[in-house]
Amino acid sequence: MKERFKHILPINKKPKRDFSRQADFFNRYSLLFHALLACAMVFVIEACSRRSLLGALSFVGGHTFAFFFNAFIIFASLSFVYLFRRRTLLRIVISCVWLLLGIVNGCVLSQRVTPFGFTDFKCISDLFAMTNSQYFTKTQAICVVVLLGLLAVGLIALAIKGPKYQGHAYKARGIALCALMCAALCGITVYAQNENWMASYFSNIAQGYSDYGFVYGFSSSVIDRGMSRPSNYSEPTIREITRQTAKSKLEKSSFHVADSGKVVSDSSPAKQNPNIICILLESFVDPTEINFLKFSKDPIPNFHALSDKHTSGHLTVPVVGAGTANSEFEVLTGMGLRFFGTGEYPYKTILKKTDCESIASDLSQIGYGTHVVHNNGGNFYGRAGVFSQFGFDTFTSKELMDIQEYTPLNSWPTDDILIDETRKALDSTPNQSDFVYTITVQGHGSYPKEKIISNPEIKVSGAATPEENNQWEYYVNMLHEVDKFIGDLVHMLSKRDEKTMVVMFGDHLPTLGLSDENMATGDIFKTPYTTWNNFGIEQKDADLTAYQLLAYTTEQAGIREGTMFTYHQANGYNADSKSYQDGMENLQYDILYGKRYCYNGEDKYPASDLEMGVEKTYVNSYLENPDGSVSLYGTNFTNWSSIFVNDERMSTTFVSSRHLILPAEYAQDLEEGDIIKVCQMGSSNTVFRTTENELVYREGSR
């Protein structure tokens, strides 16, 4: 047999010998090869991230130390090949991981301003949930899947038939080299940061990645998680901070005599405090502050009218283009993202396991009912769990809403539904003050390059290309619709015989390539906010940080509650002060990671038993249809209602808020005594709410 095929065997062996010879060559001069490979990979990664070869060349020339430091990080990671015999395979795996991360970052940056960080891996489920606004087009997704498949096949083949290092392994030397590389990397990093050659903190993550490179930025996001213990953190430090805050609160608080004759503070439960409506305006910016745009008329007249008469200004938010949850975190907790790791989402890290004092838990202490209303998925950003950690009473997400109207792209619900849902939240707790946090979604991207609205109410011009102008025109007209929602919401609230204040703010700028020089504010991290009230609060305009917003506005209403919020109130909102930031960092660390000295070591604000929605759902009756299906009748059904038979989820057709259909192929299996109910379903088969009652199926009773 061997003689028969001997003319074939040399052909099969020669490539293997040549490949082995090449592998031997690279192994012999491996350190030099790793250095050149690392530099080449950094260049390719930066070209992908910047989507430009010239941009990569500019990085090499303008940030030379950062370029070589990024290369050293990859060089150090390649040192792990010396622990194994299949060094060629491991080199390729390590190289591919870095290159794939760079490619993903380039794709992400084509759709948003914030670069790719480690925490984004925790948001993958959210990314897939955003089927209406993808970071990857279908073509890109298919290409990625195909390339990953080919890469996997190649690596498997290389693992089976690839060359092995034939020399002495010297494992001790390999371990020593890896340890030396890690130690050198740590030492050089500390030295470079101390000399300000590399930044240890990115106030602007996008700029940080641009100045210091993707490899360094992403590596920082992997290693730098959570909050570091402040150098002066101790029980006496926290005691002094809280003592000074309490003293300031006492000096600022006014007192009055209650009906009982007892002297109480303005924020006491004995006093009827105003309803507070806080509105997050998704991707909201004042279009008139974009220098190059022109409009046929004022795109946001209601917002401008409120700003002219009530307290307003700009917020410095922690994100741009994406990252709503981080702006939300700062507003609701009074805490700052700057003390966390690079690109971190606390919603996906610490708040998955730790309860946290928030405006909801603080206002609950003085008798408020606390609610969230949002016309998007309840599990997005893990909000259902986070809002429980924050101490909210109820959360009405889209799964609990009868949504019928969508944006022209059919991608997001329109915000007008939030008016009635906010009213329902207020009505759910009669004779009680309420805090309602309402989150809009209509302004969310993506924004089409094609002309979608044939006869737009607001005509927009000034962008560089027709495609960009189409994007801006679509976005601005969505903002115009959001502005109508603002006007209608304020009108609804003004008709209620209740003291009410409204605080509304933009969470971040849209993903439309804006830069500092494009903005009248000169800063893409500034968004507008404004307020409204019906009980005579004096207008006091101020520019604030997101974590100061509710402290400032509630203080105007005479409310001084909460550890973080009273801290801001006591220290005059001087966010640029080093002592201000030091005290804030200590308090924040104490609450989230420390001993909770500010609560005397107690769990003062435990997670709430969050209820999804404020309206009960019932099943009343069922009826067999001529086609064999079964109609189920009840109340408060939505598009996210599912019929369950004996706790098994069935395919369900939504007809109206009072009518669901169980298709014939499932209805034919109904048997005597089967239990029928309806559940409101979130993503990942989460049951958000179940009908208050169940029906028992009886044969012949259809």
Side-chain angles (χ1 to χ4, degrees), residues 433-672:
S433 298
D434 289 291
F435 174 79
V436 184
Y437 174 50
T438 299
I439 312 167
T440 72
V441 77
Q442 189 167 354
H444 204 297
S446 57
Y447 313 108
K449 294 182 179 180
E450 303 80 19
K451 192 172 182 64
I452 299 298
I453 307 173
S454 57
N455 188 27
E457 191 169 349
I458 308 294
K459 293 180 172 58
V460 180
S461 60
T465 66
E467 291 78 14
E468 289 180 10
N469 217 74
N470 287 335
Q471 288 183 295
W472 280 110
E473 190 165 81
Y474 182 89
Y475 168 71
V476 169
N477 277 275
M478 290 304 98
L479 284 193
H480 188 58
E481 294 299 313
V482 174
D483 186 72
K484 291 179 182 177
F485 151 75
I486 292 171
D488 292 341
L489 178 68
V490 169
H491 178 74
M492 181 272 288
L493 294 171
S494 67
K495 297 298 182 183
R496 298 174 66 91
D497 186 23
E498 297 174 317
K499 290 172 60 176
T500 304
M501 71 178 301
V502 177
V503 182
M504 59 189 79
F505 67 97
D507 61 336
H508 56 69
L509 269 62
T511 310
L512 283 168
L514 291 169
S515 59
D516 288 343
E517 54 267 25
N518 297 144
M519 305 302 299
T521 61
D523 188 349
I524 58 174
F525 284 84
K526 287 188 182 298
T527 64
Y529 80 91
T530 193
T531 62
W532 172 85
N533 72 89
N534 61 358
F535 55 101
I537 294 179
E538 181 184 354
Q539 181 177 4
K540 293 183 178 179
D541 293 348
D543 289 343
L544 306 164
T545 61
Y547 53 77
Q548 295 171 332
L549 176 64
L550 288 180
Y552 186 76
T553 51
T554 56
E555 184 177 30
Q556 289 185 311
I559 297 172
R560 297 174 180 87
E561 294 293 330
T563 308
M564 298 304 302
F565 298 110
T566 54
Y567 175 81
H568 298 310
Q569 292 166 351
N571 288 275
Y573 310 99
N574 185 14
D576 294 329
S577 164
K578 186 178 184 304
S579 61
Y580 183 104
Q581 291 295 324
D582 179 71
M584 180 178 165
E585 182 180 12
N586 270 280
L587 277 181
Q588 186 169 318
Y589 179 85
D590 187 53
I591 292 170
L592 290 176
Y593 297 91
K595 300 293 186 179
R596 295 191 166 178
Y597 297 126
C598 62
Y599 304 151
N600 294 316
E602 299 176 3
D603 187 12
K604 188 176 178 181
Y605 300 97
S608 63
D609 185 12
L610 185 75
E611 185 175 2
M612 296 299 293
V614 296
E615 291 187 311
K616 295 180 179 180
T617 307
Y618 293 92
V619 284
N620 298 329
S621 61
Y622 57 88
L623 180 68
E624 185 178 43
N625 298 314
D627 63 357
S629 64
V630 171
S631 287
L632 197 64
Y633 298 96
T635 58
N636 298 321
F637 298 150
T638 75
N639 268 306
W640 292 269
S641 295
S642 285
I643 298 171
F644 278 67
V645 177
N646 298 331
D647 292 325
E648 182 180 352
R649 187 179 181 181
M650 299 292 167
S651 176
T652 304
T653 301
F654 174 77
V655 180
S656 73
S657 62
R658 294 180 174 273
H659 184 192
L660 301 175
I661 292 179
L662 181 66
E665 58 266 35
Y666 297 94
Q668 66 183 1
D669 295 327
L670 286 173
E671 296 180 354
E672 179 77 17

Side-chain angles (χ1 to χ4, degrees), residues 44-276:
V44 173
I45 288 169
E46 290 303 319
C48 292
S49 297
R50 299 162 197 271
R51 300 180 299 285
S52 166
L53 288 174
L54 290 177
L57 287 170
S58 176
F59 175 67
V60 175
H63 304 274
T64 306
F65 179 84
F67 171 79
F68 284 111
F69 188 77
N70 279 254
F72 185 70
I73 294 174
I74 295 180
F75 178 79
S77 69
L78 288 167
S79 66
F80 286 93
V81 305
Y82 298 111
L83 300 177
F84 304 90
R85 286 195 175 276
R86 292 196 179 275
R87 296 181 179 180
T88 301
L89 172 65
L90 197 57
R91 283 190 191 102
I92 293 174
V93 169
I94 293 171
S95 300
C96 286
V97 168
W98 282 115
L99 290 173
L100 284 171
L101 290 172
I103 291 169
V104 169
N105 186 52
C107 293
V108 167
L109 287 176
S110 69
Q111 297 295 326
R112 75 180 195 196
V113 177
T114 307
F116 184 70
F118 179 73
T119 309
D120 282 306
F121 283 117
K122 297 178 179 291
C123 298
I124 288 176
S125 59
D126 296 331
L127 180 64
F128 285 120
M130 292 175 64
T131 55
N132 305 309
S133 179
Q134 298 172 337
Y135 287 130
F136 303 94
T137 65
K138 288 183 179 179
T139 302
Q140 287 174 329
I142 292 171
C143 289
V144 168
V145 171
V146 171
L147 288 174
L148 288 177
L150 293 173
L151 177 61
V153 171
L155 291 176
I156 292 171
L158 190 61
I160 296 172
K161 296 189 175 182
K164 292 183 180 180
Y165 179 69
Q166 299 301 319
H168 194 284
Y170 296 112
K171 288 187 177 180
R173 292 185 185 180
I175 294 172
L177 179 62
C178 290
L180 177 63
M181 287 294 178
C182 291
L185 183 59
C186 292
I188 294 172
T189 300
V190 171
Y191 182 78
Q193 290 175 348
N194 289 339
E195 294 295 319
N196 291 322
W197 296 342
M198 303 295 288
S200 59
Y201 167 72
F202 301 155
S203 58
N204 181 331
I205 296 174
Q207 192 62 48
Y209 272 57
S210 178
D211 290 344
Y212 302 107
F214 169 78
V215 173
Y216 175 71
F218 183 84
S219 299
S220 298
S221 76
V222 174
I223 296 171
D224 187 15
R225 313 304 313 146
M227 287 183 64
S228 300
R229 179 188 174 103
S231 58
N232 61 335
Y233 174 71
S234 65
E235 184 172 4
T237 298
I238 300 300
R239 296 291 186 207
E240 179 60 20
I241 294 170
T242 54
R243 187 187 70 81
Q244 292 291 342
T245 300
K247 179 182 176 183
S248 176
K249 176 181 176 180
L250 184 63
E251 291 171 349
K252 288 186 175 184
S253 294
S254 57
F255 295 85
H256 72 283
V257 179
D259 293 339
S260 63
K262 183 179 179 181
V263 177
V264 294
S265 70
D266 273 354
S267 56
S268 164
K271 171 179 171 284
Q272 185 63 36
N273 288 300
N275 292 326
I276 302 171

